[in-house]
Amino acid sequence: MRVVVVGSVNIDLVVTAPTLPRPGETVLGNHFTQVAGGKGANQAIAAGRAGATVSLIGAIGSDGYGVTLRARLTSSTVDTSLLRVVYGASGVALIVVDAAGENAIVVAPGANAALTALSEPDLAAITAADVLLLQLEIPLGTVTVAAVAARRAGVRVLLNAAPARPLPAELEAVVDLLVVNQVEGAALAGVRPVGVDAVPEPADADPWLLVEALIERFPRVVLTRGAAGAWYGSRGGDLVHVPAPVVDAVDTTAAGDAFTAALAVGWGEGRELVDAVRWASAAGAVAVQRLGASTALPARPAIDELYLNTYPS
């Protein structure tokens, strides 16, 4: 089963600390690590570890980080033949993880911002895939071109709409499956409290209402809410809540990418989508028990073990 990922590639600079710093506050950290990251790279690595053959279309800089990123992707069995080199800096993410496993992240796109067009080899790879996996850390125009090409070829299009931003109608029209977390879902659905102009706090937005609102625009929707689990809905179908496996979280940085990639693999392999959401939930739960982004992404045997222990048939 082949997955093509079109997305961002970053170097993640990760510091652990007792608490996340507030505005203007300096916090003394503990450990520092440097790992491959970016949603595109993370999901490509995660899909490969979950059992797919994976190609990544993206951009790295001409700096030392770019060399490191290509090497780490290659060592994770991701096909990097379509990874282009752009003069200048690679994408960089600055990540702080607190003692509870929560994180704060700032991303400088670097070379990712230069991924403004797709070549003929890029399009050939996309149209030969079983699933096209997309995120929103690269230019929207490129995401849209990739999705349209996949739809015309009959390839399934999975969009992880992160970070949340307004989507062009042309892109919305060709998405087969939307994956968002509570914050992204609230932003895309345009949910507002009565009499208030701002988007509500994520905890204030009913996940059932968010899924129902998003189904009006996308045929299938998965909304994730960390330890509270995931919600799945489709047009004409029932809404389903999938509880998350109960685990001790160390770092939630990789959870969303592990979940989304495993969902793409499970769906591409022919699982019913509700079952694919369960399998993806197991992948996310394995990831939160480990520190880092790409370093925490689970291999298939670990996903299968937690899946079978959590969701017995």
Side-chain angles (χ1 to χ4, degrees), residues 278 306-313:
R278 295 188 186 103
L306 186 56
Y307 164 79
L308 292 172
N309 289 337
T310 306
Y311 310 106
S313 57

Side-chain angles (χ1 to χ4, degrees), residues 91-109:
V92 174
L94 307 178
I95 303 173
V96 181
V97 182
D98 71 11
E102 294 299 326
N103 61 69
I105 304 173
V106 177
V107 178

